[in-house]
């Protein structure tokens, strides 16, 4: 169903970047992202082992009353970009549902269910988010999948929007104040009349966008790889864990950051995959699009405030420590200038038009700093946390990272047809972390009270 057409009412108009996410979806690629948490099942199940769905819905309904963006839908009241308007018939039962994971209830089965849910676009006749409880997992766990349309929020904004659903575990730090999500946030007044200097400002934005595009092109073309083919509807995912303290120590010991270690692992995964495909020879590096937040203090909690850094990672380097040093030197130079942030309707339309054949980057990467202390959802301890990103255009591999309670949760999402050999990439990524001494945290170190 398309964007609702209603009688003109006040509402906050979405940005050009937000609108680009809608435009991408019109090309047949769902543009929603998700968070996947693994919970302790006991507090969520009744005596018969069934999920307490009514209680969870009541919890979500109560906790989202003041999170205005989660109670709004998109409308196009009179042309131009869509605006956010309050949903007059919000029904939490249309957003909070459950689904069983088939036997054996392992991680692979869970991710197949997540991929099946992700294949269905979010309905546009209601607020653009869903919460799924995924039962039947081995080990006394329940999966919690929260997905939202990218127009609703980027990764950093989503942490703020969804924070009211969670509580600190006993002994944990207090929950972050909800002020950014309270009434008035994400639903400001309608845009006023254009000021007299609007044409000059528009011209400046156009020149700035052109400079951004020229800067991106100056990075050089990305290598032509078989993983860069237009994506289809089918997805496949895998999860990797890393010890956050070990990653930090490793990064600081080589003058880098946590993200530099992740980029080194991505290079290791790509090296393994390209070698198996016979494409490694003659490919010294590949280009990774790294999301960089440009959200300023006081910005609304919703929407997208992200730029991009294009990082060349060496795939011709067999030594991961040497690769880490090279990556750290590259990103250190890049941090002296702002990330690319193509803006404006013309620039966004150009990006959408060429995304199926672009040669700027090969792989997508997003890294979000998550909660440092363990959390509870409706009384259930959150054991692990991951983000599940979106592939788009001819970028068939996306890596998402989120830190949580001492663990770095890494997910890899791929087009199932373009990258049927995803396990090779995952093996290379995980193996690189192990070689660097930053593999999975010790057994029993999962978050919890």
């Amino acid at each position: 169903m398309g964007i609702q057409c209603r009688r003109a009412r006040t509402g906050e108009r979405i940005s050009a970047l937000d609108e680009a996410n809608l435009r991408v979806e019109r090309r047949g690629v769902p543009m929603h992202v998700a968070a996947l948490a693994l919970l302790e099942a006991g507090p969520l199940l009744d005596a018969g082992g069934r999920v307490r769905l009514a209680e969870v819905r009541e919890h979500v309904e109560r906790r989202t009353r003041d999170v205005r963006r989660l109670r709004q839908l998109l409308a196009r009241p009179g042309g131009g970009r869509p605006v956010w308007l309050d949903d007059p018939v919000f029904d939490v039962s249309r957003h909070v549902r459950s689904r069983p994971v088939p036997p054996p209830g392992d991680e692979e089965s869970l991710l197949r269910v997540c991929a099946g849910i992700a294949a269905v676009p979010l309905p546009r006749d209601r607020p653009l988010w869903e919460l799924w409880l995924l039962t039947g997992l081995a080990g006394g766990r329940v999966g919690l999948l929260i997905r939202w349309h990218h127009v609703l929020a980027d990764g950093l904004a989503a942490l703020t929007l969804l924070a009211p659903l969670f509580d600190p575990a006993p002994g944990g730090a207090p929950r972050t104040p909800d002020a950014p999500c309270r009434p008035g946030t994400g639903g400001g007044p309608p845009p006023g009349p254009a000021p007299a200097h609007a044409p000059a400002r528009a011209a400046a934005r156009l020149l700035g966008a052109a400079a951004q595009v020229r800067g991106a092109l100056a990075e050089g073309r990305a290598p032509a790889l078989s993983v860069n083919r237009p994506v289809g509807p089918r997805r496949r995912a895998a999860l990797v864990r890393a010890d956050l303290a070990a990653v930090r120590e490793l990064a600081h010991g080589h003058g880098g950051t946590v993200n530099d270690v992740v980029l080194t692992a991505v290079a290791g995964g790509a090296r393994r995959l390209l070698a198996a495909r016979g494409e490694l020879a003659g490919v010294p590096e590949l280009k990774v699009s790294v999301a960089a937040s440009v959200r300023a203090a006081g910005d609304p909690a919703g929407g997208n405030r992200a730029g991009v850094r294009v990082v060349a990672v060496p795939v011709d380097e067999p030594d991961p420590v040497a690769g880490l040093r090279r990556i750290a030197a590259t990103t250190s130079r890049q941090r002296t200038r702002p990330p690319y942030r193509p803006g404006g309707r013309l620039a966004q339309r150009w990006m959408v038009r060429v995304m199926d054949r672009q040669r700027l980057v090969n792989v997508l990467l997003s890294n979000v700093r998550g909660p440092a202390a363990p959390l509870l959802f409706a009384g259930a301890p959150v054991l692990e946390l991951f983000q599940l990103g979106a592939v788009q255009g001819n970028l068939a591999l996306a890596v998402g990272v989120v830190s949580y309670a001492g663990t770095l949760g890494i997910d890899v999402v791929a087009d199932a047809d373009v990258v049927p050999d995803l396990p090779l990439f995952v093996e290379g990524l995980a193996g690189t972390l192990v070689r660097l001494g930053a593999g999975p945290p010790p057994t029993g170190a999962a978050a919890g009270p």
Side-chain angles (χ1 to χ4, degrees), residues 369-398:
R369 181 180 297 178
L375 299 175
L376 303 175
F377 173 80
V382 178
L383 305 176
E384 295 186 279
L385 183 63
F386 301 88
Q387 60 162 317
L388 301 178
V391 294
Q392 55 186 284
N394 64 354
L395 298 171
L397 267 173

Side-chain angles (χ1 to χ4, degrees), residues 289-355:
S289 172
V290 182
S293 176
V294 293
R295 189 174 296 274
D299 275 0
N304 292 265
R305 306 288 191 277
V308 170
R309 297 190 190 278
V310 178
V311 182
V313 300
V315 293
D316 62 348
E317 176 56 74
D319 180 3
V321 173
L324 172 58
R325 292 188 182 124
R326 288 170 60 179
I327 290 171
T330 297
T331 60
S332 177
R333 291 191 298 270
Q334 288 189 340
R335 284 192 293 273
T336 63
R337 57 183 186 270
Y340 302 130
R341 192 184 181 188
R345 185 172 297 184
L346 291 177
Q348 295 296 340
R349 284 181 173 173
W350 175 81
M351 291 177 64
V352 172
R353 190 177 301 118
V354 303
M355 63 187 303

Side-chain angles (χ1 to χ4, degrees), residues 131-154:
L131 185 152
W132 291 84
L133 292 168
L134 306 175
T135 61
L137 294 181
R141 299 172 301 158
V142 165
L144 173 68
L145 179 70
I146 307 176
R147 67 173 187 146
W148 62 95
H149 199 288
H150 219 312
V151 72
L152 183 72
D154 56 27

